Amino acid sequence: MALLSTILILFSSALILHSGFSSHEFHQLLKSLPQDSHSYLGHQLPKDIQYEAIAGIITFTIAVFFSFKKLTYYPLQGPQKLITLNHYLHEIRMNKATNVDNLIGNDPYGEINHTPNFIDIHAKREETKRWLEQNDKKEI
Amino acid sequence: MDAIRGRYISICTSKVYTQFSPEELMELNDGCKRYMQLKDPSLGQAQYFSLMEMLFYLAVYLCKDVEAQVLYNTFRDRLGEDSPRLYGMKSTLLQINESDSAAVEFIEKLIKERLEVDTDSISYLLLQKRLIAIQSKNHDKEWVVRQLLNLIEKFPIDPEIWWFAAQNYFELGQFERAVYCLEEVIQLTPFNYVASARLAEVLYYKSMRVDKSVAKTKATLQNALNNALRSVELSENYLKGWSLVALTSSKLDGKNKILQLAKSKLQIIANGSNAQNKVTAELILKSI
């Protein structure tokens, strides 16, 4: 999808730029005509330039939609298996949006609920030291 | 790359790494360092510094003291020393390199000489919390609660202090006071569905252990059910919320419909959530 959308974006950009350049050329040409001439008064941008610009815009819009990827997440804890949701955009309603947090094990209010500023650093370090000692014993 | 970045940012902002086991801390430390070496262009500068701060605390937890000092020096050289986060990091370094009393002395001196009269309430609050955390080791829970209440007098709208007070009251068995503190947390963060579920949990314990009369037990259980329902209203597939809905509704009369709904939701979680939630949901379904 990423390759297709890139190709489409490049193609549509070329179409839009080309139609813009053609329009500029057409108006430059028109300026060279006498202002009271019949062809100046009845002038209109040629249909092919109009169609080219419209086709460019439509293709660009489609390409942008193609560039969306399915939402992917890694769980915060446990085995690191990529979770791919069948969605391209995030949910707006809160009760649905928080489903992703539940899926990956995230607490959006963790900065409060985990009380990070009251952590006993020595206890954490002791736990690590014990774990490292146990690991060393296993290796021996 | 988006998923990897999202994982590290979520871990960093939710501070869930403070609850990790040593093995998980080690994996996170190595993974985050590897990710930062990739120099992801989508990583903003604020996010980069947040990840660096997380790496500092990971180094502290993993007893990599030299690495922690190097990270602190990098921060100090780039941002200067006068910042709440840097004060917190320095006090942590003093704790591990010198002693708790050196860290207490540093914080008390800073508060006395500057922060007590400054308008920098963020640094003041953060360092007061650190001070309580450092000193709590040498005191009992009643002392900790007293310190927390003194801090609440000064900062009544900080939810973290209320949450920690609730935790301490819960451990002391003072459920009524723990409930009050959690209600304050919910008032300050109304969409905090985790706090609603925790409140329901504390109310459930209160009904089981404290309430003597049947009428009072029922009223407390109903209150617990209401809070559990509020948590699942805010988060559709919240496992703890639905577990408490199932548990409390099974103890109350005439709540069969709610119980069936909770069971069906738990079944959905058991079928489609992550591995840990699946196992927990299945266990709860078996026990109800």
Side-chain angles (χ1 to χ4, degrees):
Chain A
M1 278 302 190
L3 181 69
L4 180 66
S5 76
T6 312
I7 292 167
L8 282 176
I9 283 174
L10 289 173
F11 178 65
S12 60
S13 304
L15 281 179
I16 292 166
L17 284 173
H18 186 259
S19 63
F21 180 72
S22 304
S23 167
H24 172 74
E25 286 286 291
F26 172 74
H27 285 99
Q28 287 298 111
L29 198 68
L30 209 62
K31 276 181 198 167
S32 65
L33 293 173
Q35 288 194 357
D36 55 349
S37 74
H38 180 70
S39 33
Y40 185 90
L41 293 171
H43 85 276
Q44 203 186 12
L45 194 67
K47 289 276 184 216
D48 58 333
I49 299 175
Q50 289 182 29
Y51 291 148
E52 191 180 17
I54 292 165
I57 289 164
I58 292 170
T59 319
F60 185 80
T61 312
I62 293 167
V64 169
F65 277 102
F66 274 135
S67 72
F68 290 159
K69 290 178 205 157
K70 281 188 178 176
L71 297 174
T72 52
Y73 300 93
Y74 277 109
L76 303 194
Q77 284 171 277
Q80 292 306 297
K81 196 179 163 193
L82 188 69
I83 302 167
T84 307
L85 299 181
N86 204 19
H87 297 154
Y88 292 92
L89 299 171
H90 294 277
E91 288 281 356
I92 295 172
R93 283 173 296 172
M94 192 190 171
N95 66 335
K96 300 262 181 206
T98 47
N99 282 347
V100 171
D101 291 316
N102 294 327
L103 195 64
I104 62 171
N106 184 31
D107 177 358
Y109 290 91
E111 214 169 351
I112 300 164
N113 305 344
H114 295 313
T115 56
N117 292 312
F118 292 104
I119 292 292
D120 182 356
I121 282 156
H122 292 304
K124 293 290 288 181
R125 286 163 67 85
E126 277 302 315
E127 199 186 340
T128 306
K129 278 175 193 164
R130 275 201 305 274
W131 179 76
L132 287 171
E133 275 169 19
Q134 278 174 0
N135 263 24
D136 287 346
K137 277 179 193 169
K138 272 182 197 171
E139 278 172 19
I140 291 163
Chain B
M1 188 64 100
D2 288 352
I4 297 170
R5 184 176 58 251
R7 176 174 182 254
Y8 292 129
I9 297 293
S10 295
I11 291 174
C12 182
T13 51
S14 68
K15 310 276 182 194
V16 68
Y17 64 88
T18 55
Q19 314 296 316
F20 276 11
S21 66
E23 196 175 357
E24 287 170 325
L25 287 173
M26 195 70 92
E27 182 273 326
L28 177 63
N29 188 49
D30 297 344
C32 191
K33 273 187 200 160
R34 273 200 304 274
Y35 165 72
M36 288 183 80
Q37 279 168 0
L38 295 174
K39 301 206 182 301
D40 179 8
S42 303
L43 188 73
Q45 201 176 24
Q47 291 172 332
Y48 174 80
F49 281 122
S50 298
L51 289 183
M52 289 274 283
E53 190 196 4
M54 181 175 79
L55 281 178
F56 168 82
Y57 284 107
L58 290 178
V60 170
Y61 297 162
L62 292 168
C63 307
K64 296 180 176 183
D65 299 353
V66 179
E67 210 175 301
Q69 184 69 54
V70 170
L71 280 164
Y72 172 76
N73 291 349
T74 313
F75 270 113
R76 188 197 55 201
D77 296 345
R78 287 193 69 171
L79 306 168
E81 271 186 326
D82 290 331
S83 133
R85 302 276 176 101
L86 266 290
Y87 292 148
M89 288 161 93
K90 190 170 180 181
S91 67
T92 307
L93 278 179
L94 283 171
Q95 261 188 289
I96 58 172
N97 290 335
E98 292 180 32
S99 63
D100 282 356
S101 53
V104 170
E105 200 179 313
F106 163 73
I107 294 172
E108 281 180 341
K109 195 179 169 196
L110 203 62
I111 288 173
K112 206 173 176 183
E113 288 179 3
R114 287 180 55 187
L115 300 175
E116 197 77 65
V117 286
D118 261 8
T119 49
D120 183 4
S121 58
I122 299 170
S123 299
Y124 183 87
L125 178 59
L126 189 114
L127 288 178
Q128 284 285 9
K129 286 178 187 173
R130 292 292 316 137
L131 199 59
I132 295 171
I134 296 167
Q135 292 177 320
S136 62
K137 209 170 71 175
N138 303 322
H139 297 89
D140 55 9
K141 290 221 178 290
E142 274 91 1
W143 181 89
V144 176
V145 167
R146 274 200 304 279
Q147 298 303 311
L148 290 172
L149 292 179
N150 287 340
L151 200 54
I152 284 170
E153 285 288 320
K154 289 180 182 168
F155 297 94
I157 57 165
D158 186 79
E160 193 187 2
I161 314 173
W162 283 111
W163 184 285
F164 195 57
Q167 201 174 308
N168 278 284
Y169 277 130
F170 180 76
E171 283 165 18
L172 285 167
Q174 298 180 18
F175 298 115
E176 194 79 53
R177 291 180 179 191
V179 166
Y180 181 85
C181 293
L182 285 168
E183 281 172 351
E184 287 291 333
V185 174
I186 294 170
Q187 275 197 351
L188 295 166
T189 51
F191 300 119
N192 191 342
Y193 58 91
V194 181
S196 295
R198 177 69 179 150
L199 177 56
E201 188 185 359
V202 174
L203 283 165
Y204 177 77
Y205 281 117
K206 181 178 172 280
S207 73
M208 293 292 121
R209 292 189 189 174
V210 180
D211 295 340
K212 303 284 180 211
S213 68
V214 179
K216 205 170 180 191
T217 306
K218 271 189 180 175
T220 311
L221 274 175
Q222 183 59 51
N223 196 3
L225 178 61
N226 292 346
N227 280 291
L229 286 170
R230 178 164 40 183
S231 81
V232 293
E233 190 184 344
L234 293 168
S235 182
E236 201 181 52
N237 287 346
Y238 185 43
L239 174 62
K240 189 175 177 181
W242 281 116
S243 309
L244 284 158
V245 169
L247 200 62
T248 46
S249 58
S250 67
K251 305 267 179 199
L252 286 164
D253 298 329
K255 303 287 180 192
N256 271 337
K257 274 189 177 176
I258 296 177
L259 180 61
Q260 292 311 315
L261 177 70
K263 279 183 177 174
S264 67
K265 285 285 181 183
L266 284 170
Q267 193 59 56
I268 291 169
I269 295 167
N271 293 339
S273 193
N274 61 39
Q276 203 177 352
N277 282 0
K278 272 181 194 175
V279 176
T280 317
E282 278 164 11
L283 274 173
I284 292 163
L285 276 170
K286 273 181 200 166
S287 66
I288 292 169

